[in-house]
Amino acid sequence: MKIEKLTKELNDILQCIIENESKIDQTISGIHENYRLSAKNLCRYLILRSFDLRKYHNSLSDYGVSSLGTSEGYVYSNLYNVIKNLKLIQGLPFQEKSKIEIIGYQRSKKLVKKNANKLFNAVRKNHFTEIMVTLPNEAAEDKCIIEQMVQSGMEIARINLSHGDITIWTKMVQFIQEIKKESKQEIKIYMDLSGPKLRTASIEIPKKNGAIKNSIPIRVGEHIILTKRETLGKKSKFGKNDIQLSKAEIGVLLPEIIDDVQINDTVLFDDGMIKSIAISKTEDEIELLITNCYKSKLSAQKGINLPDTKLNLPALTEKDIENLPFICNNADIVGYSFVRTAKDVHYLYEQLDQNNAKDLGVVFKIENKEAFENLPFILLEGMKRDKIGVMIARGDLAVEIGFERISEVQNQILWLCEAAHIPVIWATQVLDNLAKTGIPTRAEISDVVQGLQAECIMLNKGPYINDAIKMLKNILIRMEAHSFKKKNALRALNIAKNALNQIIGDNSSTPKS
């Protein structure tokens, strides 16, 4: 691309940002003072990423000018300086900066680290990325389990409130506090809210020998009924030539989801192992057609994912609200499961205010398609309070968006959070094979290296968890000297375009394609 055309097109993008500054100011009016500039940078980034920037990279490199590939944290400053250098190369005059508030590269880097330190640990150590580990229930009975994790390198202890009870959690907290005093090490406590459980109900199918079977057989092309009614399950019957004579029936733990699922919506079971589509519906049930299955049976208490369905479930259950006082009194950070919209964020903040939890950190778990699509708004609403972060919960997220898209989507989450200077937790199956078997795979080592783009990496439990913690710590120390974040090609992002339509509306200065 000729330098004149390159300069003009990039300047047009800069002018688009400048022209929308007043709308950006309106959007960030309620933002916490510590995040005001960061929220402004996020909005500028949404404008920048609504353009396809790939065509500019090679030309910028040819002219010896910095690309836009690392501009997430300092959008205006980066774009301004690129245009300034292009004009200097041509011997053209360049108007100095307007009164627009800007963030440079060094400041953006400091903001990310400052916000991560506020949420996690401010203590200096030989690696920046935090190590979070999920505590097993056995840790409530044996203090040594937690001690060994801390000695191996755990800095944040995760207590999953989906498992155990308040007696178990209280004992874990007590052990952690004792270890903190004894070791003089800072250990933060992270607690996950459970959120609504989308699962299949109990299945009890009598067998001829009098035993009970807790699953039904399933096959591609089969029709099954998902129902609100109380049922212990029923399997399909097939006649000659595999013609289906009667439909299997299975209940759900949350009958309300039957109301929300629409015809042609995808319904996934068991971490996506069984895929179906809704083909008909009544007030009490949905008829599903099984379109793909990697398992031959559908069991009780298996997860249900609804990637196409707009659910009207509250993100906080009654149990979550009951547990909030305990969390507010004992945790440093709360993980918000099932958050999907900015309204969900506002609702949690209301509950935290009622518990006077002004200093509690909040992490938004992005674990479904709707949450990902609403991430810009979740961030902007979240930034109305200090000390926030985002977890990329790649398990459910991969099921909902498709395993082939998870790499793309997890990167987009990283970029948006870096633009907002919000720390990220990299989660799900990190060093999972090592933690469970004692032997790492090459793929999971590479996954850890990519996870270095986040500010915290979470490990799950397993018999070899201390080996996993030590290996993760060693990789962090070795690799953090090599990089901070990454460069990317920057095609236009649909998530940026969709968010812009709501933030600044239809505007002739925003991209149309």
Side-chain angles (χ1 to χ4, degrees), residues 357-418:
K358 302 293 183 185
D359 200 43
L360 183 68
V362 177
V363 167
F364 304 108
K365 296 175 66 176
I366 307 304
E367 54 187 346
N368 53 62
K369 184 179 177 183
E370 191 176 0
F372 166 67
E373 292 174 345
N374 287 321
L375 181 57
F377 308 105
I378 289 171
L379 288 173
L380 288 167
E381 186 68 28
M383 292 163 86
K384 292 179 179 179
R385 177 188 172 101
D386 204 9
K387 291 174 68 174
I388 67 166
V390 162
M391 178 184 285
I392 310 177
R394 298 181 295 167
D396 283 323
L397 187 58
V399 171
E400 292 222 353
I401 63 172
F403 287 91
E404 68 279 2
R405 284 200 68 208
I406 188 61
S407 293
E408 171 195 1
V409 167
Q410 68 191 18
N411 279 338
Q412 291 187 31
I413 295 171
L414 285 166
W415 300 336
L416 288 166
C417 290
E418 187 179 353

Side-chain angles (χ1 to χ4, degrees), residues 139-157:
E141 302 167 3
D142 187 353
K143 181 178 172 181
C144 290
I145 292 175
I146 304 176
E147 279 182 320
Q148 288 171 2
M149 287 180 173
V150 172
Q151 289 165 7
S152 297
M154 177 181 75
E155 295 149 317
I156 304 170

